[in-house]
Amino acid sequence: MAEYYNIQLTTEDMAPIERAHLHRGFSSKKTPLKWIRFFRMCVLQRELSLKKRKKKTNTLWIAYFIIAIAMIFLVPGYWFIVNIILFVVVLVMDVRNRREFSKNYTDGYDFFSDYFSALFTLIEEELPQLGTIHFTANVKETLAGVEHLKSTADATFETSGFISGKEEFYEKEIGQGYCTLKDGAEVSFSFVEKVRKRIIKKKGLSGKRKTKEKYKSVYPFILKLKLPKSIYQLKADIDKSDIQLEEDESFYYMKARRKFDVKDENPDDYSAYQYNSTPLFSVEYFSLEVVNLFNICYGCFTLK
């Protein structure tokens, strides 16, 4: 990368608007270096806050046990009732601390730090000096609310004792961005999470009714390129099976898509009952496949 950055910097070194972005999704325009620093700052802030939250929890419960033991000797006739009241108070305080932490911090930035830092490092080589990437991201869980529910449908499954079934389809755009490369090409990309949830009600051999939920997650990465005809010319007899190609008088418009299917790519760790399976494919694999999309698109052209 072009310059050195210190990952140990704390959030006090960041502008207020940057700190505001740490608690939700974000939309901004930065150089790849600043994006990578921002992602890692988000992860670092969460780690520091998590340590503080755990320390506060440990202190709270240690103090409770010390006081609970002391109550046995201070109020021998009422120690049990007092300790029950103290336990409820400490439990409520602990739950509030955990809830506040969950409200402010999410795991989503770890994903951006790993996967999109690798992607932006690769894009940086093709950007003009101090070129920027406009990037918008969403850190909310896919199934956290009905806003991501796209459709539902009744379904029939060939399972013994089948009573009824339903499928729910969720979709969330994890991140999308665009930039202009030094050859004048315009690039846009998006990474989407799609989840299918199956709810199956059936009757077992004993006659007891059971409800099972199964999930399947796929992650399409969509790349779009706008290439100037003044620089590139299309090769003859190109393979269009993996791309969509259109053109006008001045530009070629290309669209390529790679669907990351964790069930096929990591079957040993895949679980039918886990809806969020993003961490199951490696950063290196993600980067390699995305670079391959660029190569497929640029491989259709030669320089004039």
Side-chain angles (χ1 to χ4, degrees), residues 3-64:
E3 61 181 273
Y4 173 77
Y5 67 93
N6 183 4
I7 193 174
Q8 297 302 324
L9 291 175
T10 61
T11 54
E12 284 74 13
D13 298 291
M14 302 177 68
I17 188 64
E18 296 287 282
R19 291 199 297 272
H21 284 155
L22 296 177
H23 304 316
R24 54 182 182 272
F26 52 87
S27 180
S28 185
K29 183 170 67 173
K30 310 178 191 293
T31 62
L33 177 67
K34 289 183 179 179
W35 271 123
I36 294 168
R37 179 175 173 176
F38 173 66
F39 293 151
R40 296 188 179 178
M41 281 290 193
C42 294
V43 176
L44 181 60
Q45 189 204 42
R46 185 182 189 278
E47 289 177 351
L48 293 174
S49 297
L50 182 60
K51 287 180 181 179
K52 291 180 181 178
R53 200 269 297 165
K54 287 182 176 179
K55 184 177 180 180
K56 186 183 296 185
T57 297
N58 292 337
T59 302
L60 197 62
W61 285 105
I62 290 172
Y64 162 73

Side-chain angles (χ1 to χ4, degrees), residues 92-110:
V92 170
M93 293 175 65
D94 188 27
V95 170
R96 289 182 63 182
N97 289 336
R98 293 173 183 271
R99 186 179 299 168
E100 184 66 21
F101 177 82
S102 298
K103 178 182 177 182
N104 289 335
Y105 305 99
T106 70
D107 293 320
Y109 291 99
D110 298 76

Side-chain angles (χ1 to χ4, degrees), residues 14-244:
M14 302 177 68
I17 188 64
E18 296 287 282
R19 291 199 297 272
H21 284 155
L22 296 177
H23 304 316
R24 54 182 182 272
F26 52 87
S27 180
S28 185
K29 183 170 67 173
K30 310 178 191 293
T31 62
L33 177 67
K34 289 183 179 179
W35 271 123
I36 294 168
R37 179 175 173 176
F38 173 66
F39 293 151
R40 296 188 179 178
M41 281 290 193
C42 294
V43 176
L44 181 60
Q45 189 204 42
R46 185 182 189 278
E47 289 177 351
L48 293 174
S49 297
L50 182 60
K51 287 180 181 179
K52 291 180 181 178
R53 200 269 297 165
K54 287 182 176 179
K55 184 177 180 180
K56 186 183 296 185
T57 297
N58 292 337
T59 302
L60 197 62
W61 285 105
I62 290 172
Y64 162 73
F65 284 116
I66 293 173
I67 295 173
I69 293 173
M71 288 297 104
I72 298 176
F73 302 98
L74 295 176
V75 285
Y78 301 96
W79 70 269
F80 184 77
I81 296 175
V82 172
N83 284 349
I84 290 294
I85 296 173
L86 281 174
F87 178 81
V88 172
V89 171
V90 171
L91 184 63
V92 170
M93 293 175 65
D94 188 27
V95 170
R96 289 182 63 182
N97 289 336
R98 293 173 183 271
R99 186 179 299 168
E100 184 66 21
F101 177 82
S102 298
K103 178 182 177 182
N104 289 335
Y105 305 99
T106 70
D107 293 320
Y109 291 99
D110 298 76
F111 172 81
F112 294 116
S113 179
D114 293 338
Y115 289 80
F116 281 91
S117 289
L119 173 62
F120 288 175
T121 300
L122 296 168
I123 292 179
E124 182 182 29
E125 298 178 0
E126 303 301 328
L127 285 175
Q129 189 174 13
L130 301 179
T132 57
I133 301 173
H134 189 282
F135 188 55
T136 300
N138 185 349
V139 297
K140 293 182 180 179
E141 293 282 1
T142 310
L143 302 183
V146 295
E147 68 269 21
H148 298 306
L149 179 62
K150 297 301 179 181
S151 63
T152 60
D154 293 328
T156 302
F157 304 102
E158 295 181 359
T159 58
S160 59
F162 175 80
I163 299 174
S164 65
K166 183 172 70 171
E167 289 186 324
E168 298 176 349
F169 297 92
Y170 297 83
E171 183 176 329
K172 178 188 77 173
E173 187 174 66
I174 299 174
Q176 61 91 17
Y178 60 87
C179 60
T180 302
L181 305 182
K182 56 188 175 185
D183 61 0
E186 296 179 14
V187 178
S188 64
F189 56 88
S190 65
F191 196 49
V192 180
E193 179 181 20
K194 293 186 175 183
V195 177
R196 182 194 66 201
K197 177 181 179 182
R198 283 182 172 174
I199 306 170
I200 303 173
K201 294 182 179 181
K202 64 178 183 178
K203 185 183 295 185
L205 296 177
S206 62
K208 185 178 179 180
R209 296 194 174 199
K210 299 180 180 180
T211 300
K212 285 193 173 183
E213 296 180 356
K214 291 187 177 182
Y215 302 91
K216 178 170 176 60
S217 304
V218 294
Y219 302 87
F221 186 95
I222 302 167
L223 174 68
K224 295 181 180 179
L225 283 174
K226 180 181 176 183
L227 298 172
K229 285 187 173 181
S230 59
I231 298 178
Y232 295 99
Q233 63 182 15
L234 190 64
K235 292 180 181 178
D237 300 325
I238 62 170
D239 183 6
K240 296 183 180 180
S241 58
D242 295 325
I243 61 172
Q244 296 178 23

